[in-house]
PDB file of all heavy atoms in Angstrom:
ATOM      1  N   PRO A1338      -0.568 -16.246   9.977  1.00  0.00           N
ATOM      2  CA  PRO A1338      -0.070 -17.452  10.656  1.00  0.00           C
ATOM      3  C   PRO A1338       1.105 -17.122  11.562  1.00  0.00           C
ATOM      4  O   PRO A1338       1.929 -16.249  11.245  1.00  0.00           O
ATOM      5  CB  PRO A1338       0.363 -18.351   9.488  1.00  0.00           C
ATOM      6  CG  PRO A1338      -0.401 -17.879   8.312  1.00  0.00           C
ATOM      7  CD  PRO A1338      -0.625 -16.422   8.508  1.00  0.00           C
ATOM      8  N   ASN A1339       1.211 -17.818  12.689  1.00  0.00           N
ATOM      9  CA  ASN A1339       2.290 -17.489  13.620  1.00  0.00           C
ATOM     10  C   ASN A1339       3.650 -17.955  13.127  1.00  0.00           C
ATOM     11  O   ASN A1339       4.656 -17.804  13.832  1.00  0.00           O
ATOM     12  CB  ASN A1339       1.991 -18.001  15.030  1.00  0.00           C
ATOM     13  CG  ASN A1339       1.763 -19.497  15.061  1.00  0.00           C
ATOM     14  OD1 ASN A1339       2.082 -20.193  14.091  1.00  0.00           O
ATOM     15  ND2 ASN A1339       1.211 -19.994  16.139  1.00  0.00           N
ATOM     16  N   ARG A1340       3.703 -18.499  11.912  1.00  0.00           N
ATOM     17  CA  ARG A1340       5.014 -18.762  11.282  1.00  0.00           C
ATOM     18  C   ARG A1340       5.697 -17.444  10.905  1.00  0.00           C
ATOM     19  O   ARG A1340       6.893 -17.410  10.649  1.00  0.00           O
ATOM     20  CB  ARG A1340       4.843 -19.606  10.014  1.00  0.00           C
ATOM     21  CG  ARG A1340       4.257 -20.989  10.246  1.00  0.00           C
ATOM     22  CD  ARG A1340       4.149 -21.773   8.947  1.00  0.00           C
ATOM     23  NE  ARG A1340       3.227 -21.177   7.994  1.00  0.00           N
ATOM     24  CZ  ARG A1340       3.571 -20.495   6.914  1.00  0.00           C
ATOM     25  NH1 ARG A1340       4.855 -20.292   6.647  1.00  0.00           N
ATOM     26  NH2 ARG A1340       2.654 -20.009   6.102  1.00  0.00           N
ATOM     27  N   PHE A1341       4.890 -16.376  10.836  1.00  0.00           N
ATOM     28  CA  PHE A1341       5.431 -15.057  10.504  1.00  0.00           C
ATOM     29  C   PHE A1341       5.688 -14.295  11.801  1.00  0.00           C
ATOM     30  O   PHE A1341       4.772 -14.121  12.613  1.00  0.00           O
ATOM     31  CB  PHE A1341       4.421 -14.261   9.662  1.00  0.00           C
ATOM     32  CG  PHE A1341       4.246 -14.789   8.273  1.00  0.00           C
ATOM     33  CD1 PHE A1341       3.456 -15.907   8.029  1.00  0.00           C
ATOM     34  CD2 PHE A1341       4.861 -14.179   7.196  1.00  0.00           C
ATOM     35  CE1 PHE A1341       3.288 -16.402   6.743  1.00  0.00           C
ATOM     36  CE2 PHE A1341       4.700 -14.650   5.902  1.00  0.00           C
ATOM     37  CZ  PHE A1341       3.909 -15.773   5.682  1.00  0.00           C
ATOM     38  N   SER A1342       6.923 -13.863  11.993  1.00  0.00           N
ATOM     39  CA  SER A1342       7.220 -13.114  13.216  1.00  0.00           C
ATOM     40  C   SER A1342       8.001 -11.852  12.864  1.00  0.00           C
ATOM     41  O   SER A1342       9.125 -11.920  12.366  1.00  0.00           O
ATOM     42  CB  SER A1342       7.988 -13.974  14.219  1.00  0.00           C
ATOM     43  OG  SER A1342       9.105 -14.565  13.604  1.00  0.00           O
ATOM     44  N   PRO A1343       7.391 -10.701  13.130  1.00  0.00           N
ATOM     45  CA  PRO A1343       8.103  -9.447  12.902  1.00  0.00           C
ATOM     46  C   PRO A1343       9.013  -9.149  14.096  1.00  0.00           C
ATOM     47  O   PRO A1343       8.725  -9.547  15.218  1.00  0.00           O
ATOM     48  CB  PRO A1343       6.967  -8.426  12.812  1.00  0.00           C
ATOM     49  CG  PRO A1343       5.879  -9.002  13.644  1.00  0.00           C
ATOM     50  CD  PRO A1343       6.034 -10.494  13.616  1.00  0.00           C
ATOM     51  N   LYS A1344      10.091  -8.428  13.790  1.00  0.00           N
ATOM     52  CA  LYS A1344      10.999  -8.023  14.877  1.00  0.00           C
ATOM     53  C   LYS A1344      11.489  -6.617  14.588  1.00  0.00           C
ATOM     54  O   LYS A1344      11.942  -6.335  13.481  1.00  0.00           O
ATOM     55  CB  LYS A1344      12.187  -8.985  14.969  1.00  0.00           C
ATOM     56  CG  LYS A1344      11.848 -10.299  15.646  1.00  0.00           C
ATOM     57  CD  LYS A1344      13.056 -11.147  15.910  1.00  0.00           C
ATOM     58  CE  LYS A1344      12.736 -12.385  16.714  1.00  0.00           C
ATOM     59  NZ  LYS A1344      11.604 -13.155  16.194  1.00  0.00           N
ATOM     60  N   SER A1345      11.415  -5.764  15.599  1.00  0.00           N
ATOM     61  CA  SER A1345      11.835  -4.375  15.420  1.00  0.00           C
ATOM     62  C   SER A1345      12.935  -4.063  16.423  1.00  0.00           C
ATOM     63  O   SER A1345      12.657  -3.736  17.577  1.00  0.00           O
ATOM     64  CB  SER A1345      10.636  -3.438  15.616  1.00  0.00           C
ATOM     65  OG  SER A1345      11.017  -2.095  15.418  1.00  0.00           O
ATOM     66  N   PRO A1346      14.208  -4.132  16.010  1.00  0.00           N
ATOM     67  CA  PRO A1346      15.310  -3.860  16.936  1.00  0.00           C
ATOM     68  C   PRO A1346      15.383  -2.390  17.349  1.00  0.00           C
ATOM     69  O   PRO A1346      15.854  -2.069  18.436  1.00  0.00           O
ATOM     70  CB  PRO A1346      16.556  -4.271  16.141  1.00  0.00           C
ATOM     71  CG  PRO A1346      16.136  -4.255  14.712  1.00  0.00           C
ATOM     72  CD  PRO A1346      14.671  -4.533  14.675  1.00  0.00           C
ATOM     73  N   ASP A1347      14.930  -1.513  16.453  1.00  0.00           N
ATOM     74  CA  ASP A1347      14.842  -0.082  16.755  1.00  0.00           C
ATOM     75  C   ASP A1347      13.804   0.505  15.819  1.00  0.00           C
ATOM     76  O   ASP A1347      13.339  -0.180  14.905  1.00  0.00           O
ATOM     77  CB  ASP A1347      16.208   0.616  16.607  1.00  0.00           C
ATOM     78  CG  ASP A1347      16.828   0.403  15.244  1.00  0.00           C
ATOM     79  OD1 ASP A1347      16.204   0.815  14.227  1.00  0.00           O
ATOM     80  OD2 ASP A1347      17.905  -0.210  15.167  1.00  0.00           O
ATOM     81  N   LYS A1348      13.456   1.762  16.011  1.00  0.00           N
ATOM     82  CA  LYS A1348      12.310   2.274  15.256  1.00  0.00           C
ATOM     83  C   LYS A1348      12.612   2.479  13.771  1.00  0.00           C
ATOM     84  O   LYS A1348      11.703   2.720  13.002  1.00  0.00           O
ATOM     85  CB  LYS A1348      11.755   3.539  15.890  1.00  0.00           C
ATOM     86  CG  LYS A1348      12.576   4.783  15.708  1.00  0.00           C
ATOM     87  CD  LYS A1348      11.804   5.980  16.256  1.00  0.00           C
ATOM     88  CE  LYS A1348      12.420   7.277  15.778  1.00  0.00           C
ATOM     89  NZ  LYS A1348      11.658   8.449  16.232  1.00  0.00           N
ATOM     90  N   ALA A1349      13.867   2.361  13.378  1.00  0.00           N
ATOM     91  CA  ALA A1349      14.210   2.495  11.962  1.00  0.00           C
ATOM     92  C   ALA A1349      14.210   1.165  11.223  1.00  0.00           C
ATOM     93  O   ALA A1349      14.390   1.131  10.004  1.00  0.00           O
ATOM     94  CB  ALA A1349      15.572   3.159  11.818  1.00  0.00           C
ATOM     95  N   HIS A1350      14.048   0.075  11.940  1.00  0.00           N
ATOM     96  CA  HIS A1350      14.129  -1.249  11.329  1.00  0.00           C
ATOM     97  C   HIS A1350      12.939  -2.112  11.721  1.00  0.00           C
ATOM     98  O   HIS A1350      12.523  -2.113  12.883  1.00  0.00           O
ATOM     99  CB  HIS A1350      15.412  -1.980  11.760  1.00  0.00           C
ATOM    100  CG  HIS A1350      16.670  -1.326  11.299  1.00  0.00           C
ATOM    101  ND1 HIS A1350      17.247  -0.275  11.983  1.00  0.00           N
ATOM    102  CD2 HIS A1350      17.433  -1.557  10.196  1.00  0.00           C
ATOM    103  CE1 HIS A1350      18.345   0.108  11.324  1.00  0.00           C
ATOM    104  NE2 HIS A1350      18.473  -0.643  10.244  1.00  0.00           N
ATOM    105  N   LEU A1351      12.411  -2.834  10.718  1.00  0.00           N
ATOM    106  CA  LEU A1351      11.368  -3.820  10.991  1.00  0.00           C
ATOM    107  C   LEU A1351      11.635  -5.008  10.081  1.00  0.00           C
ATOM    108  O   LEU A1351      11.530  -4.907   8.867  1.00  0.00           O
ATOM    109  CB  LEU A1351       9.971  -3.254  10.723  1.00  0.00           C
ATOM    110  CG  LEU A1351       8.823  -4.225  10.997  1.00  0.00           C
ATOM    111  CD1 LEU A1351       8.782  -4.629  12.461  1.00  0.00           C
ATOM    112  CD2 LEU A1351       7.477  -3.623  10.581  1.00  0.00           C
ATOM    113  N   ASN A1352      12.028  -6.115  10.685  1.00  0.00           N
ATOM    114  CA  ASN A1352      12.354  -7.311   9.930  1.00  0.00           C
ATOM    115  C   ASN A1352      11.213  -8.301  10.021  1.00  0.00           C
ATOM    116  O   ASN A1352      10.408  -8.282  10.957  1.00  0.00           O
ATOM    117  CB  ASN A1352      13.654  -7.924  10.456  1.00  0.00           C
ATOM    118  CG  ASN A1352      14.805  -6.927  10.434  1.00  0.00           C
ATOM    119  OD1 ASN A1352      14.918  -6.120   9.506  1.00  0.00           O
ATOM    120  ND2 ASN A1352      15.640  -6.961  11.456  1.00  0.00           N
ATOM    121  N   LEU A1353      11.125  -9.174   9.009  1.00  0.00           N
ATOM    122  CA  LEU A1353      10.067 -10.185   8.966  1.00  0.00           C
ATOM    123  C   LEU A1353      10.719 -11.543   8.827  1.00  0.00           C
ATOM    124  O   LEU A1353      11.426 -11.801   7.848  1.00  0.00           O
ATOM    125  CB  LEU A1353       9.127  -9.926   7.788  1.00  0.00           C
ATOM    126  CG  LEU A1353       7.927 -10.850   7.660  1.00  0.00           C
ATOM    127  CD1 LEU A1353       6.975 -10.684   8.836  1.00  0.00           C
ATOM    128  CD2 LEU A1353       7.185 -10.582   6.343  1.00  0.00           C
ATOM    129  N   HIS A1354      10.492 -12.394   9.820  1.00  0.00           N
ATOM    130  CA  HIS A1354      11.042 -13.746   9.780  1.00  0.00           C
ATOM    131  C   HIS A1354       9.901 -14.722   9.498  1.00  0.00           C
ATOM    132  O   HIS A1354       8.825 -14.608  10.106  1.00  0.00           O
ATOM    133  CB  HIS A1354      11.717 -14.090  11.108  1.00  0.00           C
ATOM    134  CG  HIS A1354      12.451 -15.381  11.054  1.00  0.00           C
ATOM    135  ND1 HIS A1354      13.664 -15.520  10.412  1.00  0.00           N
ATOM    136  CD2 HIS A1354      12.128 -16.603  11.540  1.00  0.00           C
ATOM    137  CE1 HIS A1354      14.070 -16.779  10.514  1.00  0.00           C
ATOM    138  NE2 HIS A1354      13.155 -17.443  11.190  1.00  0.00           N
ATOM    139  N   ILE A1355      10.154 -15.638   8.568  1.00  0.00           N
ATOM    140  CA  ILE A1355       9.114 -16.607   8.200  1.00  0.00           C
ATOM    141  C   ILE A1355       9.665 -18.008   8.418  1.00  0.00           C
ATOM    142  O   ILE A1355      10.700 -18.375   7.832  1.00  0.00           O
ATOM    143  CB  ILE A1355       8.660 -16.450   6.735  1.00  0.00           C
ATOM    144  CG1 ILE A1355       8.452 -14.977   6.378  1.00  0.00           C
ATOM    145  CG2 ILE A1355       7.373 -17.238   6.504  1.00  0.00           C
ATOM    146  CD1 ILE A1355       8.230 -14.722   4.895  1.00  0.00           C
ATOM    147  N   ASN A1356       8.996 -18.770   9.253  1.00  0.00           N
ATOM    148  CA  ASN A1356       9.400 -20.166   9.521  1.00  0.00           C
ATOM    149  C   ASN A1356       8.627 -21.117   8.624  1.00  0.00           C
ATOM    150  O   ASN A1356       7.495 -20.840   8.222  1.00  0.00           O
ATOM    151  CB  ASN A1356       9.099 -20.527  10.975  1.00  0.00           C
ATOM    152  CG  ASN A1356      10.050 -19.867  11.940  1.00  0.00           C
ATOM    153  OD1 ASN A1356      11.210 -19.628  11.620  1.00  0.00           O
ATOM    154  ND2 ASN A1356       9.552 -19.529  13.112  1.00  0.00           N
ATOM    155  N   SER A1357       9.237 -22.252   8.354  1.00  0.00           N
ATOM    156  CA  SER A1357       8.562 -23.358   7.653  1.00  0.00           C
ATOM    157  C   SER A1357       7.784 -22.851   6.438  1.00  0.00           C
ATOM    158  O   SER A1357       6.559 -23.007   6.350  1.00  0.00           O
ATOM    159  CB  SER A1357       7.597 -24.081   8.611  1.00  0.00           C
ATOM    160  OG  SER A1357       8.288 -24.540   9.742  1.00  0.00           O
ATOM    161  N   LEU A1358       8.475 -22.259   5.521  1.00  0.00           N
ATOM    162  CA  LEU A1358       7.833 -21.641   4.356  1.00  0.00           C
ATOM    163  C   LEU A1358       6.951 -22.615   3.601  1.00  0.00           C
ATOM    164  O   LEU A1358       7.284 -23.793   3.422  1.00  0.00           O
ATOM    165  CB  LEU A1358       8.901 -21.056   3.431  1.00  0.00           C
ATOM    166  CG  LEU A1358       9.367 -19.667   3.873  1.00  0.00           C
ATOM    167  CD1 LEU A1358      10.774 -19.381   3.389  1.00  0.00           C
ATOM    168  CD2 LEU A1358       8.388 -18.620   3.375  1.00  0.00           C
ATOM    169  N   GLU A1359       5.796 -22.103   3.140  1.00  0.00           N
ATOM    170  CA  GLU A1359       4.834 -22.888   2.357  1.00  0.00           C
ATOM    171  C   GLU A1359       4.678 -22.264   0.971  1.00  0.00           C
ATOM    172  O   GLU A1359       4.997 -21.085   0.779  1.00  0.00           O
ATOM    173  CB  GLU A1359       3.477 -22.906   3.086  1.00  0.00           C
ATOM    174  CG  GLU A1359       3.545 -23.533   4.466  1.00  0.00           C
ATOM    175  CD  GLU A1359       2.203 -23.477   5.181  1.00  0.00           C
ATOM    176  OE1 GLU A1359       1.225 -22.924   4.616  1.00  0.00           O
ATOM    177  OE2 GLU A1359       2.135 -23.996   6.317  1.00  0.00           O
ATOM    178  N   LEU A1360       4.149 -23.063   0.041  1.00  0.00           N
ATOM    179  CA  LEU A1360       3.971 -22.569  -1.322  1.00  0.00           C
ATOM    180  C   LEU A1360       3.117 -21.292  -1.350  1.00  0.00           C
ATOM    181  O   LEU A1360       3.378 -20.360  -2.109  1.00  0.00           O
ATOM    182  CB  LEU A1360       3.299 -23.640  -2.196  1.00  0.00           C
ATOM    183  CG  LEU A1360       4.097 -24.911  -2.443  1.00  0.00           C
ATOM    184  CD1 LEU A1360       3.253 -25.906  -3.249  1.00  0.00           C
ATOM    185  CD2 LEU A1360       5.394 -24.611  -3.182  1.00  0.00           C
TER     186      LEU A1360
END
Side-chain angles (χ1 to χ4, degrees):
Chain A
N1339 58 14
R1340 297 181 296 104
F1341 290 79
S1342 51
K1344 283 188 174 50
S1345 181
D1347 55 61
K1348 74 173 195 177
H1350 296 83
L1351 180 62
N1352 304 322
L1353 183 65
H1354 188 75
I1355 316 170
N1356 287 329
S1357 303
L1358 277 154
E1359 299 177 358
L1360 295 176

